[in-house]
Amino acid sequence: MRMIDRKLLPEFFREVRTQHRTFELRKDDDSIQAGDVLVLREWTPSAGYTGHVLCRVVTYVLRDCPEYGLMDGYCILAIQPIGWETERSAASWHCDASIGMEREAPGDAL
């Protein structure tokens, strides 16, 4: 299992946080595999990183399907919240899969 850090625009971040969006379309430049963990950090072009973080496990990777419209060099990742026991092993990230949103470090506010 690898942890892969990625930035995410606020409109997509909200959709992932509420579990309305359970996939990511990304450039296929990291050889991401099922079981890897995406650390999604909310980011805006004007202000940069907001400090909000979500952790999601990759459950499936679709790649190499140009016949279905997926361009070469891109992949679709199926993602879902991960259990608290896995989150603890990622000490610097605080996620709570039971409610589908991130848990901030003590003293931080969402």
Side-chain angles (χ1 to χ4, degrees), residues 6-36:
R6 288 286 173 263
K7 59 185 170 186
L8 196 59
L9 293 170
E11 58 268 25
F12 300 125
F13 188 89
R14 283 189 297 275
E15 292 295 307
V16 171
R17 186 181 68 211
T18 60
Q19 297 184 48
H20 287 107
R21 182 177 172 172
T22 58
F23 68 91
E24 280 293 306
L25 173 62
R26 294 284 177 163
K27 285 191 121 181
D28 192 11
D29 55 4
D30 284 326
S31 300
I32 295 175
Q33 302 296 321
D36 288 345

Side-chain angles (χ1 to χ4, degrees), residues 10 42-51:
E42 187 178 36
W43 179 87
T44 66
S46 60
Y49 290 106
T50 67

Side-chain angles (χ1 to χ4, degrees), residues 37-69:
V37 173
L38 288 181
V39 179
L40 301 170
R41 301 176 59 171
E42 187 178 36
W43 179 87
T44 66
S46 60
Y49 290 106
T50 67
H52 299 157
V53 178
L54 294 170
C55 298
R56 295 294 185 261
V57 66
V58 176
T59 59
Y60 182 81
V61 181
L62 178 66
R63 53 173 56 100
D64 302 321
C65 291
E67 64 273 17
Y68 295 114

